[in-house]
Amino acid sequence: MILTVTLNTALDLTYGVPELVPHASHRVSDMSERPGGKGLNVARVLSALGHETAVTGFAGGSTGAVLRELLAGLPSQDADTKAENGATPAAAPITDALVTVAGNTRRTIAVVDRATGDTTQLNEPGPLVNADEWTALLGRYEELLTGADAVALCGSLPPGIHVGAYAELVRLARTAGVPVLLDTSGEPLRRGIAARPDLIKPNADELARLTGSREPLRATRDARRRGAHGVVASLGPDGMLAVTPDGVWQASPPAKVLGNPTGAGDSAVAGLLSGLVEGLSWPDRLRRAVALSTATVLSPTAGDFDRAAYEELLPRVGIEEHSTAA
């Protein structure tokens, strides 16, 4: 089982409009809602890849109730679709291990301009989490670690959670002997990396804020020196750069694509985690991560990945090995 932690879960609402015009009224052409937050997005992709997952974090209020109802339906919906076309195996189960809080789960609203593919994102801050709710989460997390093959700690912190929360969760995973991937930003990333996670996955902007450098290889190596066992940097359309104890590689998609990048980084995390659990080499983990990320950009629904595109892209992802000399 792969465990994902989303402290600031969300109900993701996506509105499609023919064209987004500032200061104008719009008629929505299509709309979707789904359980969201980075770790839940990761779990959804892992499930589609056939990996059993458990999700924990916080959910509360009427929005949290809708999120959990949608989450409960995800594997069975995917399984029905795949059984009909016979192309891929049924999705693996997603176990809801979320902790109930008094506050209302946030909503994130994505408005997609169908003419250009551009997305405008509105993110609410999330519920205020109190000390007792945080203690309950820690207890649930430690229980789940006993059955986990790997864990991903993903996303922002809701109000009320201390800035060193991810560092605390990293240390608990390391004590339990469970490989841990950290995907966050800002001060939570800075604190978390000092706890020595097995892997971090910043994007280019997050990496620059962490290290002060915008040169990808220098910044990625600097991030690793700060405590992470390995660093995989998302470079947007240029792919991913990995600095690991086993070597340094850059993986690039076969061509730049246009589309909605929402959730692309989460799909990349799912690719890295599934590759870790399956014992794939670093080049193969990176191929999977880049192919999934690119296929997510190509999907018409934010946060989904286009399976046909993924399978076509996977063997075409380019891998370049760099010198390990600093």
Side-chain angles (χ1 to χ4, degrees), residues 120-231:
T120 299
Q121 192 84 17
L122 303 173
N123 296 330
E124 296 179 353
L128 178 66
V129 177
N130 64 39
D132 289 341
E133 292 164 342
W134 173 244
T135 299
L137 183 283
L138 289 177
R140 181 73 54 83
Y141 177 68
E142 289 189 272
E143 291 173 2
L144 291 164
L145 284 174
T146 63
D149 298 311
V151 58
L153 309 174
C154 304
S156 62
L157 300 178
I161 296 297
H162 65 95
V163 73
Y166 280 132
E168 187 173 355
L169 297 179
V170 168
R171 286 191 289 268
L172 289 171
R174 289 182 58 82
T175 298
V178 178
V180 56
L181 183 154
L182 177 61
D183 184 17
T184 188
S185 61
E187 191 60 23
L189 174 59
R190 193 177 303 277
R191 300 282 187 94
I193 198 173
R196 304 188 65 80
D198 293 272
L199 185 64
I200 63 169
K201 194 214 67 63
N203 61 33
D205 289 339
E206 292 162 351
L207 192 62
R209 288 195 294 271
L210 176 69
T211 66
S213 174
R214 284 202 168 271
E215 198 288 309
L217 187 55
R218 181 183 298 114
T220 306
R221 283 177 165 149
D222 184 3
R224 183 165 182 255
R225 283 192 290 267
R226 291 167 185 257
H229 195 58
V231 179

Side-chain angles (χ1 to χ4, degrees), residues 62-325:
S62 59
T63 307
V66 174
L67 180 151
R68 298 181 87 157
E69 181 180 351
L70 293 170
L71 180 62
L74 278 176
S76 61
Q77 290 169 356
D78 283 351
D80 291 344
T81 300
K82 296 176 180 116
E84 287 173 7
N85 61 35
T88 56
I94 299 176
T95 299
D96 177 353
L98 297 168
V99 173
T100 301
V101 294
N104 202 35
T105 295
R106 66 185 178 133
R107 296 165 298 175
T108 65
I109 301 171
V111 182
V112 182
D113 184 327
R114 296 301 184 196
T116 64
D118 292 336
T119 301
T120 299
Q121 192 84 17
L122 303 173
N123 296 330
E124 296 179 353
L128 178 66
V129 177
N130 64 39
D132 289 341
E133 292 164 342
W134 173 244
T135 299
L137 183 283
L138 289 177
R140 181 73 54 83
Y141 177 68
E142 289 189 272
E143 291 173 2
L144 291 164
L145 284 174
T146 63
D149 298 311
V151 58
L153 309 174
C154 304
S156 62
L157 300 178
I161 296 297
H162 65 95
V163 73
Y166 280 132
E168 187 173 355
L169 297 179
V170 168
R171 286 191 289 268
L172 289 171
R174 289 182 58 82
T175 298
V178 178
V180 56
L181 183 154
L182 177 61
D183 184 17
T184 188
S185 61
E187 191 60 23
L189 174 59
R190 193 177 303 277
R191 300 282 187 94
I193 198 173
R196 304 188 65 80
D198 293 272
L199 185 64
I200 63 169
K201 194 214 67 63
N203 61 33
D205 289 339
E206 292 162 351
L207 192 62
R209 288 195 294 271
L210 176 69
T211 66
S213 174
R214 284 202 168 271
E215 198 288 309
L217 187 55
R218 181 183 298 114
T220 306
R221 283 177 165 149
D222 184 3
R224 183 165 182 255
R225 283 192 290 267
R226 291 167 185 257
H229 195 58
V231 179
V232 176
S234 292
L235 305 179
D238 294 323
M240 307 187 81
L241 176 65
V243 176
T244 81
D246 301 318
V248 179
W249 294 272
Q250 183 161 353
S252 305
K256 293 186 178 182
V257 298
L258 296 176
N260 183 354
T262 303
D266 304 328
S267 292
V269 169
L272 294 170
L273 272 184
S274 60
L276 167 67
V277 169
E278 294 172 28
L280 299 184
S281 67
W282 269 108
D284 285 342
R285 293 184 212 179
L286 292 169
R287 284 190 183 94
R288 179 179 291 181
V290 169
L292 282 169
S293 179
T294 306
T296 300
V297 174
L298 291 170
S299 173
T301 302
D304 271 341
F305 73 94
D306 184 315
R307 184 175 289 274
Y310 162 65
E311 293 174 352
E312 190 273 333
L313 286 163
L314 184 60
R316 299 173 57 218
V317 173
I319 297 289
E320 177 185 0
E321 186 169 6
H322 292 265
S323 168
T324 56

Side-chain angles (χ1 to χ4, degrees), residues 37-72:
K38 293 179 72 63
L40 269 69
N41 295 338
V42 172
R44 187 169 56 245
V45 176
L46 286 169
S47 170
L49 293 173
H51 285 273
E52 181 180 348
T53 63
V55 297
T56 193
F58 300 112
S62 59
T63 307
V66 174
L67 180 151
R68 298 181 87 157
E69 181 180 351
L70 293 170
L71 180 62

